[in-house]
Amino acid sequence: MAIKADYLGMPLSLDDLDVENVAYFRHCAAHEFHLQQCSACSLLRYPPTTACPWCMSPDARWVPVEGRGTVHSYSEVHHAIQPAFKAHTPYLILLVDLDTQKGTPSEHEALRVVGNLAAPDGKLAPPEAVLAVGIGTRVRMVFTDVAPGLALPQWTLDERAAQPEKPWRYPQE
Amino acid sequence: MPLPAETDASTPKYLRDKYAIIGVGETTYTRGSGKTTRALGTWAVRNAIEDAGLKVSDIDGVLSYQSGDSTFGPVIAGDLGIRLNFYMDVFGGGSSTEALIGIAIGVIEAGMCRTVVIFRAMNGFSQVRIGGTGARSAAPVTGDMLHNRAYGWQSAGQQFSLTFMRHMYDYGTTPEQVAAVRVAHSAHASNNPKAYYRNRVTVEDVLASRIICKPLHLLDCCVETDNATAIVITRADRARDGRHPRTLIRAVAGRVCKPRADMHYQHGPIARVAGYHARDILWPNAGVGPEDIDVTGSYDAFTFTTMLQLEDYGFCKKGEGGQYVSDGTIRLGGRRPNNTSGGHLCEGYTHGMNMVIENVRQLRHTVDDTCPIGPDGKRRHTYDYREGGCRQVKTCELTANLGWANPGTGSAMVMRRD
């Protein structure tokens, strides 16, 4: 049965035919991060795809992947265009290099997973938390529950990790 | 029977200078056109055909690009009485113009038709807003969009900012340097009576404008306008008797992509853009290099996009784009002006085609500024680039257009004066 849900007032939906995304978000709903691993070449990939971007194999299995990494780049949105986000500015869009498979299969590749900066409970982070995060910040994955079978992976500060003294932030605050 | 050697079309160089842009046309650039995209498209296409000095029966092909925000080619053709031997409506925005010019060359070369008009018609302010606000921003989020729009990562600015920000981190590029793109293009627009924004701005103006999404200020972003643009392409040997000197096409590339076009951020360096790959097609096919180019048309959906492409196409070293765009090079009177019309930042937004039109006029030496027109009907360009003055580049033999869809996809074209 197709998933239809509401997140921050924004309608979300996922069709049954979209089996790759259904599987991805079902794992997220269980607060587990899983990615497809190619059955032929063993590389992990993100976001879900219908074949392996490295060897073209159609065969993959879902495997658990540790949700930890480093902020590779970000944007800080002050003028939200989507109605759902207008009450939550400024918010961060984070592009996070997972530790897993970083620099593989070539130097500049990584599993770069998008998410917002969130509180540990998965709610969008308040403005003061936004100021503490930049390129180099260590983050861990948390989940925002949306509906049965659908949660969004998000990022929060990794309290246990060694953080850079000062993460790189856009010079004009 | 083997082909004679001179008909070997297996090398792209075979078509160098064999096709020409012979007509260009546009509507006004406004907010609130009060017209359908059908009426806008008809207006621009008619202007381009008249500019070429052709009869409507000379046109037998139509190409267009859009994102569900325009009118299909056959409708425009029907309105104008064009009987089609070929048409195609392609999905897409930026990077389409140069790529469709390549398609037009291909279909004419294949003998499918003789002369193609390419148009882009849009109400980018009064209907489908290019900035992504309005109805677009409230659309349901389905399937693959759950990986982006569900995070408030939707508009072009939001999507590209990760590339822009990383460039600043990797190379120390400053907001002041990037703002110089807006400063240059606004100076150009002040000499363009068609431009939507004709006021000159300073670096301080850009940095004092409100933040949209870091690192983009309001003035780092292009204008949303309602307009249509059109160009006419045919084989150069059929175009000797046109109203204007022919503008010869030396090479096209597009839509060239970085790896993982489904989600290009998977493959870095993320501060690298598609021009890094496109340049290996563009320059060898054109038989010239960046140092030979007199005027560039580097797509300015944002100030950063101009800079990133100039870098990756080799106009300066990677990482030195901030210096290149802020040292006077790209301004009228500088070594290699960029977007002399004011571009998308100031003239109007047409997904790249107005930048091709501007370079055609530069190569013809017929830029439509306010310089006086002589008794022969030709403009007497003064090359005085002060506000309200000339915007014709004195020596313009070769131009490069660098089209942008997103950091991972781009197109390009080199044209020369006949």
Side-chain angles (χ1 to χ4, degrees), chain B residues 123-361:
Chain B
N123 278 319
F125 176 75
S126 33
Q127 285 188 303
V128 181
R129 293 193 65 160
I130 284 304
T133 55
R136 286 175 75 190
S137 69
V141 173
T142 63
D144 290 334
M145 294 178 207
L146 289 168
H147 303 292
N148 40 68
R149 293 187 181 191
Y151 297 107
W153 192 41
Q154 173 168 352
S155 72
Q158 291 165 358
Q159 289 178 54
F160 306 165
S161 280
L162 306 179
T163 292
F164 303 161
M165 198 70 104
R166 185 72 192 191
H167 191 278
M168 303 183 88
Y169 172 83
D170 283 346
Y171 301 110
T173 312
T174 67
E176 289 81 4
Q177 288 176 324
V178 183
V181 175
R182 179 70 180 226
V183 174
H185 294 186
S186 74
H188 301 168
S190 76
N191 297 4
N192 178 3
K194 305 187 301 295
Y196 185 79
Y197 285 129
R198 289 190 296 272
N199 59 315
R200 293 188 170 200
V201 302
T202 64
V203 167
E204 292 69 33
D205 291 334
V206 177
L207 299 190
S209 65
R210 64 192 168 90
I211 293 279
I212 301 300
C213 55
K214 286 182 181 177
L216 299 172
H217 306 80
L218 180 66
L219 294 185
D220 285 304
C221 307
C222 62
V223 56
E224 295 175 306
T225 48
D226 303 335
N227 31 247
T229 43
I231 55 182
V232 179
I233 301 197
T234 196
R235 239 170 57 191
D237 61 359
R238 289 182 189 143
R240 294 196 190 282
D241 306 317
R243 280 182 58 202
H244 301 284
R246 301 172 302 177
T247 303
L248 300 175
I249 298 161
R250 291 203 52 92
V252 285
R255 300 167 175 159
V256 179
C257 297
K258 290 179 72 178
R260 288 298 296 274
D262 67 315
M263 207 291 198
H264 65 84
Y265 284 117
Q266 298 304 299
H267 202 292
I270 71 162
R272 173 188 289 170
V273 301
Y276 174 84
H277 301 280
R279 70 184 182 200
D280 291 339
I281 297 171
L282 184 72
W283 301 127
N285 286 0
V288 299
E291 66 283 357
D292 301 310
I293 299 297
D294 300 305
V295 174
T296 53
S298 184
Y299 200 100
D300 55 350
F302 302 95
T303 49
F304 280 85
T305 61
T306 293
M307 177 190 72
L308 287 162
Q309 296 201 113
L310 289 168
E311 254 184 29
D312 276 323
Y313 280 94
F315 288 93
C316 61
K317 283 192 192 142
K318 187 65 190 172
E320 295 180 2
Q323 169 72 19
Y324 182 89
V325 299
S326 61
D327 68 3
T329 302
I330 67 165
R331 291 187 67 145
L332 276 167
R335 194 168 80 251
R336 190 176 298 112
N338 185 71
N339 286 353
T340 56
S341 66
H344 288 343
L345 288 171
C346 301
E347 183 186 50
Y349 201 79
T350 80
H351 279 129
M353 199 181 289
N354 54 335
M355 295 164 189
V356 171
I357 291 174
E358 176 74 359
N359 283 356
V360 167
R361 292 193 177 122

Side-chain angles (χ1 to χ4, degrees), chain A residues 34-92:
Chain A
H34 279 55
L35 291 176
Q36 291 160 295
Q37 181 176 44
C38 177
S39 303
C41 74
S42 299
L43 286 168
L44 298 163
R45 62 210 198 217
Y46 167 87
T49 62
T50 55
C52 175
W54 292 280
C55 77
M56 221 167 70
S57 168
D59 302 319
R61 60 203 174 93
W62 291 94
V63 297
V65 176
E66 189 186 31
R68 281 181 202 278
T70 305
V71 175
H72 187 78
S73 192
Y74 75 96
S75 182
E76 185 178 301
V77 180
H78 287 248
H79 178 83
I81 64 161
Q82 293 158 277
F85 285 88
K86 287 192 189 295
H88 299 280
T89 58
Y91 65 92
L92 284 185

Side-chain angles (χ1 to χ4, degrees), chain B residues 361-383:
Chain B
R361 292 193 177 122
Q362 284 286 359
L363 291 164
R364 291 175 175 177
H365 223 75
T366 60
V367 158
D368 50 343
D369 50 28
T370 56
C371 292
I373 296 175
D376 58 355
K378 288 183 178 165
R379 217 175 275 279
R380 299 285 184 268
H381 288 292
T382 62
Y383 313 110

